[in-house]
Amino acid sequence: MNNIKIFTEENYSELSRRSAQIIKTQLDAKPASVLGLATGSTPIGTYEELVRLYKAGELDFSQVTTFNLDEYFPIAKASDQSYVFFMRKHLFDFINIPDEKINIPNGEATNHAAECDEYEKKIAASGIDLQLLGIGNNGHIAFNEPADYFPSVTHYVKLDDTTIKANSRFFQNENEVPRHALTMGIKTIMQAKKILLLASGAGKAEILCEAIFGTITPKNPASVLQLHHDVTIITDKEAGNLLIPRQ
Ligand code: F6R
């Protein structure tokens, strides 16, 4: 387990502060870092803290490049449910990252296969220094849902019923949740130099514990992180409840 560092924080604010500090350390060491970013509820506090640090003059994003993990498909960029909208609302509109350095899979693409191909090539050209991840209730990372194999590169995916249900909290009702998405693959994620996974709330405790200490299996996609050489996991007390420190 030397490849996985685990921090179990008292609460969500502490989790978010620790996470933002790790990103700050990355940017202090390499101002032109490439960051992989996530959406969902869990990283919102981290983004708030990054904005705070930026406004306090402690962070500069002018040389940073970002790649988001995923996007619904199809979806209009202007839709308030798109991940483009989410990232603007929570981070990009408040920091000095140049627009041309922001990359999010294009939910408006006419050809999703070509879009995935292009996205993967773009990531491969720069590499990702630090990839931020959440974990789904079913163990998914990005939108790599439980399956019989680990999907490799950026691809078009049908969302699991459990994911549609979980994400319906952001929509008027479940029927409005898009059924498909474009997502980085497991190989794409595993090629990042460092991985930072955040988990908050009791609902994530069991799947996270299984992912870290259980069998490595595509049935729990996050379990593949056991094979990555540099993973940091930050949880709050509830999500870290079952993670008994092991030597
Ligand atoms: C988001 C993403 C997803 C979420 C996961 C957890 O870009 O790729 O894998 O990280 O669904 O979502 P929350 O944080 O809302 O529990």
Side-chain angles (χ1 to χ4, degrees):
M1 295 296 295
N2 289 337
N3 58 330
I4 303 188
K5 290 188 259 334
I6 302 171
F7 296 96
T8 302
E9 303 294 339
E10 197 51 34
N11 53 44
Y12 180 69
S13 316
E14 295 296 318
L15 175 163
S16 302
R17 255 198 292 278
R18 164 93 61 190
S19 156
Q21 277 307 320
I22 290 174
I23 295 170
K24 179 174 172 358
T25 303
Q26 172 67 38
L27 298 189
D28 287 348
K30 185 179 173 190
S33 288
V34 181
L35 300 179
L37 298 178
T39 58
S41 307
T42 318
I44 289 176
T46 301
Y47 295 151
E48 277 171 10
E49 183 63 10
L50 290 177
V51 170
R52 191 190 69 74
L53 289 168
Y54 168 71
K55 288 187 172 159
E58 292 183 44
L59 269 181
D60 171 27
F61 291 89
S62 61
Q63 298 180 62
V64 171
T65 297
T66 61
F67 285 94
N68 263 78
L69 285 168
D70 41 24
E71 175 62 285
Y72 291 120
F73 192 91
I75 197 156
K77 288 179 192 171
S79 156
D80 58 5
Q81 304 295 356
S82 77
Y83 287 171
V84 169
F85 188 93
F86 175 101
M87 290 308 299
R88 291 213 164 282
K89 178 173 167 201
H90 293 289
L91 184 65
F92 296 149
D93 278 354
F94 307 101
I95 59 172
N96 65 335
I97 185 166
D99 271 355
E100 64 277 11
K101 289 183 180 283
I102 295 171
N103 298 282
I104 301 178
N106 182 4
E108 296 178 353
T110 42
N111 180 337
H112 57 70
E115 169 62 19
C116 290
D117 212 37
E118 204 181 300
Y119 201 69
E120 185 71 21
K121 283 196 184 120
K122 217 166 169 190
I123 295 172
S126 62
I128 290 177
D129 293 301
L130 177 65
Q131 176 66 59
L132 184 63
L133 294 178
I135 178 170
N137 297 326
N138 60 2
H140 75 207
I141 47 177
F143 278 136
N144 294 283
E145 303 285 25
D148 294 332
Y149 61 95
F150 288 114
S152 168
V153 293
T154 303
H155 59 286
Y156 174 71
V157 68
K158 183 176 177 336
L159 299 177
D160 251 25
D161 289 345
T162 54
T163 299
I164 290 166
K165 206 176 247 346
N167 288 8
S168 65
R169 69 192 193 277
F170 300 114
F171 293 78
Q172 299 275 17
N173 62 60
E174 213 175 298
N175 291 335
E176 284 188 13
V177 186
R179 269 35 189 174
H180 294 87
L182 307 180
T183 180
M184 283 189 202
I186 293 292
K187 181 174 161 200
T188 330
I189 293 169
M190 290 294 277
Q191 282 175 337
K193 292 194 186 109
K194 293 182 186 150
I195 294 201
L196 175 58
L197 183 141
L198 311 179
S200 167
K204 301 287 172 70
E206 205 170 317
I207 196 79
L208 180 64
C209 180
E210 265 304 304
I212 302 173
F213 298 116
T215 310
I216 300 171
T217 165
K219 305 273 184 221
N220 182 348
S223 65
V224 79
L225 298 177
Q226 293 182 42
L227 301 175
H228 193 281
H229 60 95
D230 189 345
V231 180
T232 301
I233 295 175
I234 313 176
T235 75
D236 56 13
K237 243 187 0 211
E238 290 75 17
N241 193 23
L242 302 174
L243 305 180
I244 302 143
R246 298 174 195 201
Q247 296 301 318

